[in-house]
Amino acid sequence: MPRALITGITGQDGMYLAEFLAGKGYEVFGLIRGQNNPRARLVADVIPSIRLLSGDLRDLPSLVGALETARPDEVYNLGAISFVGMSWRQAELTSEITGLGVLRMLEALRIHTQGDLSKVRFYQASSSEMFGKVREVPQNEDTPFHPRSPYGIAKAFGHYITVNYRESYGAYACSGILFNHESPRRGPEFVTRKVTRGAARIALGQQDTLLLGNIDACRDWGFAGDYVEAMWLMLQQDEPDDYVIATGETHTVRDLLDIAFHRAGVGDWEPHVRQDSRLLRPAEVDTLAGDSSRARERLGWKPRGNFRDLIEMMVDADLADLTRADPASDPTDREDPRWA
Ligand code: GDD
């Protein structure tokens, strides 16, 4: 039975990946941060076979300990502070976890494998946010980076240190440069989920307006369930490499609003949406579009659904959740003035 260790198990991708690997017969271990992490219960409910280990990307001994217990064949480093907007407010912490955390995990692997880093396969969750102020359209593995946020800078460090451990120590290490990927499990602070949940609330009369930042931003949005499969495929190749994972289709936040409000049955979104300058970022990534030809050719990977299907699925899930007796709460709901 192959064994995998996932950091960031409580996030959207961690849960989809754990389900995917468990379905393939893996024994799956997930690293959980903090003393009383409320999402540990959710993970255990969603993936009953999961084995949870306590550890933190800021703490090297805890990572070595997790590797000793899990004895993984594959390590997926998905743990990060992943909300770009927050990375300006907590730039040091973002650098510490999202950036240096990658180095710590690679060092833990070096200790665990006694220097033979080819023995355990390593996946690093890199990000299209590294392209930032894009140098070419669409972006591929050779496009230079120009990150625009402390988050993007930390991810660029994580990417390069992964490549460096491959080149310096012969690590079987892959960096997956994933473009935005969404699902009903997406955190409510990200724009797709904020809009699908907002549209559902407005349709149900639970909310009147939705505050947004830059609605002209363009992103290449895919479905998270498809993207975790690409992570696994990268680690099944003879040689490690870096891969862009994207749909190649770009949409604006306005397109997202059109589809979500229409699906929720509200119709016109304009009377319900207000732009709030507090939600604009100090430096914005205006547009992203990925060229995933390498992954399509070598991994045989391609996205399954399209943007409209994805957003409609998310709206339907939010409508269903909000009409249940005990809807999931939104701790990061920006409509709550305490989060302004
Ligand atoms: N979150 C948010 N909230 N974004 C808004 C809002 C708003 O109210 N209004 C407009 N936007 C715009 C942002 O300015 C950005 O241009 C775009 O919507 C997408 O924002 P997010 O959904 O927060 O995602 P992101 O693109 O910044 O980052 C996501 O994708 C990266 C891959 O490119 C995250 O998942 C990162 O962790 C990931 O690496």
Side-chain angles (χ1 to χ4, degrees):
M1 201 183 205
R3 299 161 75 93
L5 172 65
I6 303 174
T7 72
I9 190 73
T10 57
Q12 162 190 266
D13 292 5
M15 287 202 267
Y16 277 116
L17 180 63
E19 280 175 325
F20 176 81
L21 294 176
K24 289 217 162 282
Y26 277 68
E27 184 155 9
V28 184
F29 295 80
L31 197 73
I32 295 267
R33 176 172 57 92
Q35 196 177 339
N36 187 18
N37 190 328
R39 288 184 61 87
R41 162 67 40 212
L42 176 65
V43 173
D45 286 346
V46 173
I47 312 128
S49 64
I50 191 100
R51 306 255 320 260
L52 298 175
L53 303 173
S54 99
D56 194 310
L57 285 168
R58 286 169 294 192
D59 183 294
L60 177 69
S62 75
L63 301 179
V64 175
L67 289 169
E68 275 168 9
T69 308
R71 288 180 289 108
D73 303 293
E74 296 169 7
V75 172
Y76 295 85
N77 187 41
L78 313 187
I81 292 200
S82 65
F83 183 36
V84 173
M86 195 176 117
S87 74
W88 279 274
R89 294 192 291 278
Q90 298 192 3
E92 187 179 335
L93 186 66
T94 303
S95 309
E96 184 65 57
I97 297 175
T98 306
L100 279 176
V102 187
L103 172 63
R104 261 182 228 106
M105 183 47 97
L106 286 163
E107 272 304 301
L109 273 165
R110 205 146 75 96
I111 295 167
H112 176 69
T113 60
Q114 298 180 326
D116 185 358
L117 278 160
S118 66
K119 284 205 292 219
V120 178
R121 297 188 169 201
F122 178 75
Y123 172 84
Q124 168 56 21
S126 291
S127 163
S128 55
E129 186 69 15
M130 301 187 300
F131 295 120
K133 197 170 169 59
V134 298
R135 303 280 181 85
E136 62 182 348
V137 181
Q139 299 83 50
N140 64 32
E141 293 81 2
D142 299 319
T143 303
F145 298 150
H146 183 150
R148 297 270 282 169
S149 60
Y151 168 85
I153 293 162
K155 280 288 180 189
F157 174 84
H159 169 80
Y160 281 125
I161 201 72
T162 301
V163 173
N164 182 256
Y165 269 55
R166 187 169 73 217
E167 294 176 353
S168 305
Y169 304 117
Y172 189 110
C174 299
S175 171
I177 305 174
L178 270 53
F179 282 63
N180 298 51
H181 43 285
E182 319 294 314
S183 74
R185 289 182 182 158
R186 191 56 146 149
E189 67 273 38
F190 298 95
V191 76
T192 52
R193 187 77 197 290
K194 184 171 171 182
V195 166
T196 61
R197 197 146 179 99
R201 278 223 190 94
I202 289 166
L204 295 169
Q206 297 175 4
Q207 180 178 320
D208 187 48
T209 42
L210 181 62
L211 299 182
L212 290 176
N214 173 20
I215 60 173
D216 294 309
C218 297
R219 287 291 181 279
D220 178 332
W221 279 292
F223 171 52
D226 291 345
Y227 285 41
V228 300
E229 185 174 356
M231 299 175 186
W232 175 77
L233 284 167
M234 284 179 216
L235 297 197
Q236 311 314 308
Q237 307 307 304
D238 292 339
E239 297 296 331
D241 208 342
D242 308 321
Y243 294 89
V244 159
I245 301 298
T247 68
E249 223 187 279
T250 294
H251 293 275
T252 59
V253 175
R254 288 174 188 274
D255 296 337
L256 162 66
L257 286 160
D258 283 340
I259 296 172
F261 276 70
H262 184 260
R263 182 66 168 194
V266 180
D268 188 9
W269 52 266
E270 294 204 25
H272 297 283
V273 170
R274 270 198 295 128
Q275 282 194 271
D276 186 323
S277 58
R278 288 170 305 176
L279 296 173
L280 296 174
R281 295 175 177 179
E284 175 67 299
V285 172
D286 297 319
T287 184
L288 290 173
D291 171 4
S292 57
S293 314
R294 181 185 289 177
R296 290 174 197 236
E297 282 157 25
R298 289 204 217 149
L299 307 179
W301 177 86
K302 64 174 191 313
R304 292 198 188 91
N306 64 26
F307 179 66
R308 174 176 293 279
D309 295 340
L310 169 67
I311 300 307
E312 290 183 349
M313 168 179 69
M314 291 174 67
V315 171
D316 293 351
D318 275 315
L319 283 168
D321 181 53
L322 289 165
T323 44
R324 279 190 351 205
D326 57 340
S329 62
D330 290 351
T332 47
D333 184 352
R334 291 190 174 270
E335 298 310 301
D336 182 333
R338 288 170 298 180
W339 282 94

